[in-house]
Amino acid sequence: MLFFPPDPIAQLIKVAVGVGKSREAREQIKQILSSLPPGTCLVITTPTHNLNDEHLERLVALLKDVGADVAVYRGRNAWDPARPGKKMCDFASEAADLSAAGGEPEQLCSREIKDNLVCCKFYGLCGYRKQFDFTPQVWITPHALLTKKRPTCIPEVAALIVDEDPLSTFLEGFDKNHPVRVSMDESRQVRQVPVKQGGKNIDIEKTAYLESARAALCRALSGVEGIITTKSLIDAGLTAKIATDTHRAIWKTKKRVTVSPDMPTEERKKLIKEAEIHNQPIQRLSRFLKLIGETLYNERDLLPGCRVERGIKVKNGPQYDAVRLRWRESLHNDWKAPTMILSATAKPELLKYIWPKLELVADENPVFKHTKVRQILWSAAQNKLKNQNHIHNLKRYIETRAFEYRGQGAEIEGRKVDVLVVTQKGAEKSLNALTLSENVDTAHYNAVQGIDRWGGVACIIIIGRTMPPPEEVELMAEVLTGAVVDRHGAEFPGGWYPRKITGIRQKGAGENGHPTQTEYHPDEITEALRWSICEAELIQAIGR
C-alpha cells in the first residue's frame, strides 16, 4: 500500500525493474482518490510522453468504474493525440521563439485589443488550449514541469507520484550541443536601467549601481581561467546583496515584445527576432548574477559548475572568451506536496539534494532466475556506431536473432514484436535506415525508463552504453553539492576513469560473482552520478 508522507517529506521505493511498481501504484490510486481534499488532484510525473501515454491508457481503464477522470498535460511542442501529425499548438515553434525572446506565448493564443478579443485562427482546434478546460482527478505530467510553476489547468497538488528517477531534470546547462555562455563582451556592455521595464525614462541611481556591479564583475573575471572562486568575487567588491540586486536591475533592461494573433506573420517574427537579439544576453547575464548571489549567500568556495573558457572557436567567426554556466534548479513550490518516488535505479544520496528529507522505505532487487544473458565482447564506442560497416554488422546479428525468436514475442500496437534493440539514438536511427525485420522494434537510451509495452518480447539486444567523461560527471557533482569533488578527471591516467575488480552475478560464481574490471570514480557522489548515467540506464533497458 502506498503511503504518502506529510509535506515536505518524500519517500523513495526502490524495487527492481519489471516487477510491477507502476502497476501497483495505479491499483492503489483508486483508493487514494476518495480521500483527496476538494479542489485538489493527484499528479503522476514521468520522464517521457510515451510513459505518460502508457499510464493514461491503463488508468482510464482502471478508474472507469469509479467515475474518475485522467488527463496528460502536454506542452505546446508535444504531438496532439487527437490530431495525428499535428503539434498541440499549431504555432509551437513560434511560441518557443517568443518565450526564448522573453515574451509571453499566450499572446499568440488570444489577446484583448481595444476591448475586442483577438484569437488565433486555430483557437477552436488547439489541443494545448483545450486541456485547460479539463477537470480530472489525476493529472500525468513530464518530469520537466517539476522545476516550473504549475500550469493553471492543474489545481493544487494533494499527492505527487514521481515515476522513475527525475534527477536529470534538475541539472541545467550540461547539453553540449546547446551550452549556456555569458561572453566577456556581454558582461562589459554598459546598460541603462529604465524606471519601468520597456520605458524610456532612465533610473539614474539604479543605472549607476548596475554599472558599479558590472565593473566589479569584470575585475573578478580578469585573468581567471577555469574555476571562479568566491574569493575573486569578494576581492572585486561583489556581495550577495549586490549580485542579487543587480540581477533584478538588469532584468528591467529587457525589451518588451508585444505580438497578437492577427499580426502578419513576417511582422511578428521580425519583432520576436529583434527582442531575442536584445534580451537573450540579458537573460544569460541575469542568470549568472543570480548564481553569484546564491553562491555568496551560501558561502561556497567557488561558483559551482561555472567555468571561464578562453579562445572559444566559432564557425566563420572570431574566437571569444566566455563563462560557461551550469546550475542546479530547485523543486518549484507548486510541487511541494506529499511525494512518493518509484524507481529501480534512483540513488537516495543524490535525490536528497532535491528532497532534503527523503526517506528510503524499500530497496528490493530480486534475482530473475529464468533470464538468460549472452555478452558479446565488442567495443561499441560512439565513433564505431557511426561507422556504416559496423552498423551493417550489427544489422546482420539482429536479423539472426530475429529469425531465431520469430513468433515467440508479443503483439504490440497491431504487429508482432519478437526482438527489441536498445542502443544510442544515432545508432538507432542508422539501423532503422537499413530497414530491420518487421518483428524487430528499436529504442534508445534515456527514452526507455518505465515503459512496459515490450514486456512480452522474447529477446532484447543491448548495444553500447552511455558513459560521460569524468570531468563532465565531476561538474554535475559540483553543481549538485555546491563543492569541488576530491578527484579531477584530468588527473586520471589517460584522462579516463580508473578501474577496480568487481563481480558479475551469475550461476555458479559464488556470493562475490564472476570477477571483472569496471570503471569507477573515487568520489562517492560523482560515482553515484556516473552509475546513474551508465549502469542504471543499462538496467532500465534490460528490464524492459
Side-chain angles (χ1 to χ4, degrees):
M1 177 67 183
L2 291 180
F3 166 70
F4 286 91
D7 178 38
I9 297 174
Q11 292 188 335
L12 171 62
I13 296 179
K14 285 188 68 176
V15 181
V17 291
V19 299
K21 296 184 302 297
S22 299
R23 182 179 64 249
E24 180 63 22
R26 287 191 293 264
E27 288 288 342
Q28 295 185 26
I29 283 173
K30 184 185 296 187
Q31 302 175 40
I32 295 169
L33 290 180
S34 62
S35 62
L36 292 182
T40 66
C41 68
L42 182 145
V43 172
I44 302 172
T45 176
T46 87
T48 64
H49 281 296
N50 285 339
L51 184 49
N52 284 349
D53 290 339
E54 197 170 271
H55 273 300
L56 176 66
E57 179 184 352
R58 297 178 184 191
L59 273 172
V60 166
L62 183 68
L63 301 178
K64 183 170 55 177
D65 60 336
V66 296
D69 293 325
V70 188
V72 171
Y73 177 83
R74 306 176 197 272
R76 288 181 171 85
N77 199 46
W79 295 106
D80 188 346
R83 299 185 299 156
K86 295 284 189 180
K87 295 293 182 75
M88 291 291 285
C89 170
D90 288 86
F91 290 101
S93 178
E94 199 169 331
D97 291 341
L98 180 57
S99 179
E104 298 294 333
E106 287 74 16
Q107 292 179 355
L108 295 174
C109 184
S110 63
R111 185 176 164 216
E112 193 168 303
I113 303 175
K114 296 180 179 179
D115 297 327
N116 291 319
L117 185 64
V118 179
C119 297
C120 168
K121 62 183 179 180
F122 298 108
Y123 192 85
L125 302 172
C126 180
Y128 179 77
R129 187 196 64 80
K130 285 180 179 179
Q131 65 188 348
F132 284 78
D133 297 327
F134 298 163
T135 57
Q137 291 84 3
V138 179
W139 275 99
I140 308 172
T141 74
H143 281 168
L145 281 186
L146 292 173
T147 62
K148 300 175 177 62
K149 185 176 176 62
R150 190 177 70 245
T152 56
C153 59
I154 300 178
E156 181 183 348
V157 181
L160 178 67
I161 297 176
V162 180
D163 193 12
E164 303 302 340
D165 188 355
L167 185 67
S168 61
T169 296
F170 298 91
L171 300 177
E172 293 284 0
F174 287 91
D175 186 344
K176 63 181 180 182
N177 295 319
H178 301 93
V180 181
R181 290 190 175 105
V182 175
S183 74
M184 295 302 179
D185 289 339
E186 290 172 0
S187 63
R188 295 188 192 104
Q189 185 176 339
V190 177
R191 293 179 172 86
Q192 294 181 326
V193 182
V195 175
K196 185 179 180 181
Q197 185 182 342
K200 295 182 179 180
N201 296 327
I202 303 302
D203 188 321
I204 303 299
E205 184 179 345
K206 287 187 177 179
T207 297
Y209 189 86
L210 175 60
E211 175 60 17
S212 174
R214 183 201 61 77
L217 179 60
C218 289
R219 289 195 300 272
L221 298 178
S222 177
V224 174
E225 186 165 349
I227 291 174
I228 304 171
T229 64
T230 50
K231 183 179 184 303
S232 66
L233 298 171
I234 294 170
D235 288 348
L238 286 171
T239 65
K241 185 178 186 307
I242 290 174
T244 302
D245 290 347
T246 309
H247 146 70
R248 292 169 180 162
I250 202 170
W251 197 251
K252 293 182 70 175
T253 68
K254 282 175 55 182
K255 181 177 182 179
R256 285 190 181 277
V257 51
T258 303
V259 299
S260 62
D262 62 341
M263 187 179 288
T265 302
E266 290 306 314
E267 180 184 348
R268 192 166 58 218
K269 288 184 175 181
K270 181 181 177 183
L271 285 174
I272 293 172
K273 189 63 179 178
E274 288 174 352
E276 178 186 356
I277 292 170
H278 179 86
N279 290 344
Q280 283 201 343
I282 291 171
Q283 292 171 329
R284 291 191 292 264
L285 186 55
S286 178
R287 165 69 66 180
F288 185 29
L289 288 162
K290 182 182 179 183
L291 293 175
I292 291 173
E294 291 171 350
T295 298
L296 293 174
Y297 178 80
N298 291 310
E299 299 182 340
R300 306 288 192 191
D301 293 329
L302 80 163
L303 199 57
C306 299
R307 295 291 188 270
V308 174
E309 299 176 340
R310 304 284 180 181
I312 301 168
K313 296 179 180 179
V314 180
K315 187 177 181 180
N316 301 324
Q319 295 184 9
Y320 71 102
D321 299 336
V323 179
R324 170 82 182 270
L325 306 184
R326 303 174 185 85
W327 67 96
R328 170 166 62 89
E329 289 283 5
S330 299
L331 179 71
H332 195 282
N333 286 335
D334 282 356
W335 304 101
K336 290 182 178 179
T339 301
M340 184 64 67
I341 303 170
L342 308 173
S343 174
T345 53
K347 292 283 191 180
E349 62 267 39
L350 302 180
L351 290 181
K352 281 187 176 180
Y353 287 96
I354 310 301
W355 286 274
K357 294 186 178 180
L358 180 78
E359 295 178 352
L360 179 62
V361 297
D363 191 357
E364 301 294 334
N365 188 25
V367 176
F368 295 94
K369 297 181 179 180
H370 304 292
T371 301
K372 179 181 178 182
V373 178
R374 173 189 295 163
Q375 182 176 3
I376 299 174
L377 299 178
W378 176 74
S379 174
Q382 194 169 27
N383 62 332
K384 280 198 171 186
L385 293 178
K386 292 179 180 178
N387 185 300
Q388 282 302 304
N389 288 332
H390 291 301
I391 292 295
H392 279 278
N393 288 338
L394 287 172
K395 183 193 175 183
R396 283 192 287 271
Y397 179 79
I398 293 167
E399 295 297 312
T400 301
R401 299 278 81 80
F403 178 80
E404 178 184 353
Y405 290 99
R406 184 173 295 277
Q408 300 179 38
E411 188 169 306
I412 301 175
E413 296 180 356
R415 70 186 181 96
K416 191 77 169 182
V417 177
D418 303 307
V419 176
L420 171 66
V421 178
V422 182
T423 184
Q424 294 181 18
K425 192 172 184 178
E428 181 194 13
K429 184 177 179 180
S430 298
L431 285 167
N432 285 331
L434 298 179
T435 311
L436 299 172
S437 294
E438 76 285 351
N439 66 329
V440 175
D441 206 355
T442 64
H444 58 268
Y445 295 119
N446 299 316
V448 296
Q449 288 188 43
I451 301 293
D452 293 332
R453 64 192 293 262
W454 297 296
V457 299
C459 173
I460 181 169
I461 299 173
I462 309 296
I463 303 170
R465 60 179 181 173
T466 51
M467 177 70 93
E471 290 179 320
E472 185 76 0
V473 191
E474 289 169 351
L475 282 167
M476 291 181 183
E478 184 180 305
V479 164
L480 192 64
T481 65
V484 177
V485 298
D486 294 337
R487 299 288 184 89
H488 299 287
E491 299 174 4
F492 293 151
W496 198 245
Y497 299 96
R499 289 173 173 264
K500 66 178 180 180
I501 298 295
T502 187
I504 297 178
R505 187 171 61 184
Q506 65 182 55
K507 186 177 180 180
E511 292 184 1
N512 296 324
H514 178 73
T516 187
Q517 284 194 337
T518 185
E519 294 108 333
Y520 79 106
H521 197 286
D523 178 77
E524 182 180 349
I525 294 296
T526 310
E527 170 59 13
L529 280 161
R530 186 206 64 78
W531 187 93
S532 296
I533 296 169
C534 183
E535 282 90 337
E537 198 61 30
L538 289 170
I539 290 169
Q540 288 287 345
I542 294 168
R544 294 308 105 219

